Amino acid sequence: MKKHNFSAGPCILPQSVFQKASEAVLNFNGIDLSILEISHRSKDFVEVMEKAQALALEHLQLENKGYKALFLQGGASMQFLMAAYNLLEKKAAYLNTGTWSSKAIKEAKLFGELVEVASSKDQNFNYIPKNYSIPSDADYFHCTSNNTIFGTQMKSFPETDIPLVCDMSSDIFSRELDFSKFDLIYAGAQKNMGPAGTTLVVVKEEILGKVSRQIPSMLDYQVHIGKDSMFNTPAVFSVYVSMLTLKWLKDQGGIKAIQKKNEEKAALIYREIDRNPLFTGFVANKEDRSTMNATFNLTDESLSETFNNLWKDAGVNGLNGHRSVGGYRASMYNALPIESVQVVVDTMRELEKRA
Ligand SMILES: *Cc1c(COP(=O)(O)O)cnc(C)c1O
């Protein structure tokens, strides 16, 4: 039987997507060839790329609003430097909410002056800073919508006149937002959209072409836009599986419907974390808790072996916290069914009975 997969990334994808993807490896679209052996410029694959781009914009309600969707390589980590390369002329403003923001800041510093508007580093990133001000003369403001490692999530975004750039790697397509407030959104596929190997970049074209530096072709958003994500060979399989997942999401009723399910899953586990005296949540303020990654600890470390055996015996995978936080992390991406969350909650209750 398939395990209850709480892995933080790469992570669970819909079972029907795995099924279709495996069929396409053997015989894609009934053309008697594998998707892995056809040209990325063939009609069959160009359709996949176009569909994936269209579905991404449709889910985000950004069609006909001046945005382009790209499927690039290099992961979200490449976007840390690519965003700065393309947008940073003099000065950029960053909000530091954890490991990923810190890495983005480190890369951007190579390109200009960097203003860290606020940071939650003082409390090991267990909250989202609020009430900071953003310098209006910065070229852009960058934030990370969901902190995959620490389990915090931004529930609102600052109002600013400068371009808004957001790393949405771990909560893209999980909740409704006014995406038109953002000028550049990027997300590594492997958290909520598809397999590792491709990164979705959604960019408002009007913010590009404003820096004076020369940009190498592979790092230039305008080059990739000009070639419709086909400047070089794209990660064909990752793009295909992402397209299948975006189609699946549409069949589920889109972001609105999946958000409701994600909130139910999150409520289920946080209710137990708050009720059960053996557990404590990692995030300081309830309003900052992530619906995607719930982080928690045992109040009595000596119970860890018993608890670990309980959830492993129940068929649960990937519940250990990130090494920088410890404890536990339940990653509940779109494809994770609520039944899996119930299994973890049951093991938490079972531990309480035994302790
Ligand atoms: C996983 C993750 C990254 C890193 O993604 P890569 O594709 O491995 O480079 C960046 N940002 C966030 C928020 C993440 O969750």
Side-chain angles (χ1 to χ4, degrees):
M1 204 182 83
K2 172 143 174 130
K3 289 193 174 161
H4 301 286
N5 189 9
F6 288 84
S7 190
C11 60
I12 187 168
L13 292 172
Q15 198 60 24
S16 61
V17 167
F18 286 141
Q19 182 66 40
K20 278 202 195 100
S22 67
E23 285 160 14
V25 170
L26 296 173
N27 185 356
F28 177 52
N29 275 359
I31 60 172
D32 295 321
L33 290 166
S34 167
I35 183 153
L36 303 181
E37 64 183 331
I38 59 169
S39 167
H40 58 291
R41 305 205 184 275
S42 63
K43 179 180 139 293
D44 288 275
F45 185 75
V46 169
E47 271 173 17
V48 168
M49 178 63 90
E50 287 173 353
K51 186 82 191 160
Q53 291 170 333
L55 280 167
L57 292 177
E58 183 183 334
H59 281 306
L60 302 175
Q61 296 185 23
L62 291 177
E63 301 147 295
N64 306 317
K65 289 184 180 159
Y67 289 83
K68 282 276 155 52
L70 302 170
F71 285 87
L72 306 181
Q73 300 186 50
S77 300
M78 179 71 93
Q79 295 310 309
F80 297 161
L81 67 107
M82 206 161 154
Y85 224 132
N86 284 263
L87 303 175
L88 208 174
E89 180 73 12
K90 280 203 172 73
K91 180 158 115 183
Y94 278 66
L95 176 65
N96 191 354
T97 52
T99 312
W100 301 118
S101 315
S102 303
K103 290 188 173 183
I105 288 168
K106 177 171 179 252
E107 300 303 306
K109 274 186 180 160
L110 298 172
F111 301 95
E113 185 192 337
L114 199 130
V115 182
E116 198 174 286
V117 297
S119 168
S120 44
K121 195 170 179 193
D122 54 337
Q123 300 290 334
N124 198 23
F125 299 114
N126 74 355
Y127 69 101
I128 298 282
K130 285 152 204 134
N131 301 321
Y132 45 84
S133 59
I134 299 173
S136 58
D137 61 342
D139 298 317
Y140 63 91
F141 171 71
H142 178 285
C143 57
T144 311
S145 56
N146 182 70
N147 199 300
T148 330
I149 292 176
F150 299 95
T152 57
Q153 187 173 36
M154 295 177 75
K155 300 294 159 68
S156 63
F157 293 84
E159 295 293 333
T160 171
D161 292 332
I162 62 175
L164 186 52
V165 178
C166 191
D167 174 2
M168 293 195 188
S169 292
S170 52
D171 67 353
I172 186 108
F173 304 123
S174 74
R175 58 173 170 166
E176 287 192 300
L177 289 173
D178 179 359
F179 294 99
S180 69
K181 277 188 166 177
F182 299 87
D183 297 276
L184 172 63
I185 295 167
Y186 61 86
Q190 71 275 15
K191 307 282 167 53
N192 220 2
M193 187 178 71
T198 192
T199 306
L200 173 66
V201 173
V202 176
V203 59
K204 198 168 196 181
E205 271 195 277
E206 67 181 32
I207 68 165
L208 300 174
K210 301 202 170 150
V211 289
S212 53
R213 75 173 60 83
Q214 296 226 331
I215 305 175
S217 310
M218 272 297 281
L219 298 178
D220 188 340
Y221 292 127
Q222 287 181 310
V223 168
H224 290 288
I225 289 171
K227 300 284 182 186
D228 274 324
S229 287
M230 297 270 200
F231 173 69
N232 70 325
T233 317
V236 288
F237 192 63
S238 301
V239 174
Y240 175 64
V241 181
S242 298
M243 186 277 284
L244 292 179
T245 310
L246 292 170
K247 248 191 194 168
W248 169 87
L249 178 58
K250 195 170 168 175
D251 295 341
Q252 301 296 303
I255 294 182
K256 193 187 179 79
I258 212 81
Q259 174 174 357
K260 196 163 163 286
K261 288 187 178 161
N262 289 334
E263 283 168 358
E264 284 165 9
K265 290 184 285 181
L268 181 58
I269 195 152
Y270 285 122
R271 227 185 288 127
E272 181 63 14
I273 291 168
D274 292 338
R275 185 207 63 79
N276 192 323
L278 299 182
F279 294 94
T280 172
F282 174 79
V283 177
N285 312 315
K286 288 189 183 172
E287 77 266 19
D288 296 339
R289 283 172 163 178
S290 168
T291 52
M292 294 282 96
N293 314 91
T295 46
F296 54 101
N297 289 285
L298 279 163
T299 48
D300 176 359
E301 270 303 313
S302 72
L303 293 172
S304 67
E305 201 186 323
T306 315
F307 182 52
N308 292 347
N309 288 334
L310 274 174
W311 57 261
K312 280 175 192 161
D313 290 348
V316 169
N317 175 65
L319 202 64
N320 283 319
H322 190 269
R323 57 192 182 278
S324 58
V325 182
Y328 300 94
R329 169 174 52 171
S331 296
M332 303 172 289
Y333 298 114
N334 286 353
L336 185 88
I338 194 163
E339 290 75 17
S340 293
V341 182
Q342 188 61 52
V343 169
V344 168
V345 166
D346 290 345
T347 64
M348 293 164 83
R349 291 193 179 145
E350 181 62 25
L351 184 72
E352 188 187 18
K353 268 194 224 153
R354 292 198 195 177

